[in-house]
Amino acid sequence: MAKVVTFGEIMLRLQTYDYQRLIQATGLEAKFGGGEANVAVSLANYGHDAHFVTKLPDNLIGAWCESELRKYNVKTDYIAKGGERVGIYFVEKGASQRASTVTYDRAHSSISTAKPADFDWDAIFDGADWFHFTGITPALSDDAAELCLLACKAAKAKGVTVSCDLNFRKKLWTSEKAGKVMGGLMEYVDVCIANEEDAEKVFGIKASATDITTGELSDAGYRDVAKQLADKFGFSHVAITLRESISASVNNWSALFYDGKDYYKSKKYTINIVDRVGGGDSFGGGLIYGMLEKYSMQDTIEFAVAASCLKHSIEGDFNLVSVKEVQALAGGDGSGRVQR
């Protein structure tokens, strides 16, 4: 069992029931979610020792959030207490040609105002095997970006493998600032995860023969993107998720994995989506699991894509599936027949 540390923001997720728009809502369903917390839940669910690091207010909302994480066996020992609030995001689930929307209310959240003294990174990474963060966290504030840098430096000093999902969020920062801040963090990253937009929006590396609005993706173009990222930053591995958006309800889903020499492409799934929020994080959790378990490159990317495929069928941010369920789908059992 490996010790995995993830660091970032977890938020209160308020979602309309069914497929209602916010303007129609008379009630909202409350859950929690956030990129790095979602990865921690996946890895804890797969049997690893997953620790989520953040800062939460010392109030009932913060306690509720911690309790929710512990329910899924995520360790909360390193969570700092203080600050003003837990960030909130509102979700309208899309359907057919109407896209899902996310509206943030996260300014002045506890983690965005956290300081270096809130975290003892040397203790946090003691005995750790893996550290994961996303591009969302340094986008929260200059303080959060500094904390990411300190965490990366401490992880590397301890010999910990570092992964990052680029996760560009245009509602949080510009491409120019993202490129500058993320560029400084990448020298500490071993495994880079990106999607069809991230490499272009953050580093200006664009896949040829690709149009994300029509869902037309080029394997050759993304092989080149993966190689450019690895060559530019010295990553040992690059994984790129490939989402072909037929509509808000139906997507094709696959991924590419590059180890500096060879490329590995997963099988493609056609997904009828229940909830796509957290889909990329479930891919990251599956990828980290496969690498920690020393799966082959092909088996690792198949496990990650199958895990994420299953997540799209689950309400909420967290991917609540077992290793056996993922392995069954990766192995070819995608019938959806009732298991008795």
Side-chain angles (χ1 to χ4, degrees):
M1 180 171 65
K3 178 181 177 180
V4 181
V5 176
T6 73
F7 171 63
E9 180 174 32
I10 187 167
M11 292 182 289
L12 179 63
R13 167 179 167 157
L14 299 179
Q15 177 179 307
T16 56
Y17 288 96
D18 299 318
Y19 292 89
Q20 289 183 331
R21 309 217 67 181
L22 279 168
I23 199 169
Q24 298 174 282
T26 56
L28 296 170
E29 185 176 14
K31 302 176 184 289
F32 287 95
E36 298 87 352
N38 299 343
V39 171
V41 169
S42 281
L43 289 164
N45 199 45
Y46 299 150
H48 284 294
D49 184 19
H51 297 254
F52 177 59
V53 182
T54 191
K55 187 172 184 178
L56 293 173
D58 191 12
N59 60 24
L60 289 176
I61 306 299
W64 176 21
C65 182
E66 279 196 72
S67 176
E68 189 73 5
L69 288 166
R70 289 195 295 267
K71 182 167 73 175
Y72 297 110
N73 296 314
V74 173
K75 304 291 180 60
T76 61
D77 312 59
Y78 305 126
I79 291 180
K81 300 295 177 60
E84 296 183 12
R85 62 185 298 238
V86 173
I88 301 171
Y89 72 106
F90 298 84
V91 179
E92 287 183 348
K93 286 171 55 180
S96 191
Q97 277 64 50
R98 177 173 60 84
S100 297
T101 62
V102 172
T103 303
Y104 295 114
D105 175 18
R106 69 200 307 178
H108 310 296
S109 64
S110 293
I111 186 60
S112 70
T113 59
K115 302 297 183 184
D118 288 319
F119 305 102
D120 182 350
W121 294 113
D122 187 61
I124 290 169
F125 289 121
D126 188 32
D129 300 282
W130 199 287
F131 173 53
H132 179 76
F133 71 103
T134 77
I136 297 170
T137 303
L140 297 175
S141 66
D142 290 342
D143 288 334
E146 180 186 6
L147 286 170
C148 279
L149 182 59
L150 292 173
C152 284
K153 289 180 176 179
K156 296 310 290 185
K158 291 272 192 177
V160 176
T161 300
V162 178
S163 61
C164 176
D165 188 332
L166 293 182
N167 258 346
F168 177 74
R169 294 292 184 267
K170 64 183 178 181
K171 294 182 179 180
L172 292 177
W173 58 0
T174 64
S175 289
E176 291 73 21
K177 185 165 185 179
K180 181 178 179 180
V181 174
M182 295 301 289
L185 293 168
M186 291 303 101
E187 67 176 279
Y188 303 98
V189 172
D190 302 293
V191 180
C192 178
I193 302 168
N195 67 17
E196 63 269 21
E197 291 184 89
D198 293 333
E200 177 186 359
K201 298 297 185 183
V202 180
F203 297 122
I205 300 173
K206 179 176 173 56
S208 61
T210 289
D211 185 345
I212 61 170
T213 60
T214 63
E216 296 178 6
L217 306 182
S218 163
D219 283 0
Y222 280 103
R223 287 180 180 227
D224 183 53
V225 168
K227 186 176 189 306
Q228 286 190 60
L229 284 169
D231 290 348
K232 182 178 180 67
F233 296 109
F235 302 134
S236 65
H237 296 79
V238 177
I240 298 180
T241 56
L242 306 173
R243 184 185 296 277
E244 299 170 80
S245 295
I246 299 167
S247 70
S249 303
V250 180
N251 287 181
N252 289 331
W253 183 246
S254 60
L256 180 73
F257 202 19
Y258 177 59
D259 65 359
K261 297 182 297 181
D262 298 311
Y263 300 90
Y264 301 83
K265 178 75 184 294
S266 76
K267 63 171 64 75
K268 182 186 295 186
Y269 298 93
T270 297
I271 305 172
N272 293 295
I273 297 172
V274 172
D275 189 343
R276 65 162 286 181
V277 178
D281 305 318
S282 62
F283 172 85
L287 190 84
I288 294 168
Y289 178 80
M291 295 186 74
L292 285 171
E293 295 295 313
K294 303 190 184 308
Y295 285 5
S296 69
M297 289 283 291
Q298 189 66 49
D299 287 346
T300 295
I301 198 64
E302 296 291 0
F303 186 93
V305 171
S308 188
C309 176
L310 290 172
K311 162 62 194 76
H312 285 73
S313 72
I314 297 171
E315 290 277 8
D317 272 53
F318 300 155
N319 193 20
L320 306 177
V321 295
S322 69
V323 169
K324 286 184 178 180
E325 287 174 315
V326 178
Q327 288 174 335
L329 178 58
D333 184 0
S335 67
R337 291 175 62 88
V338 176
Q339 302 298 306
R340 302 184 188 276

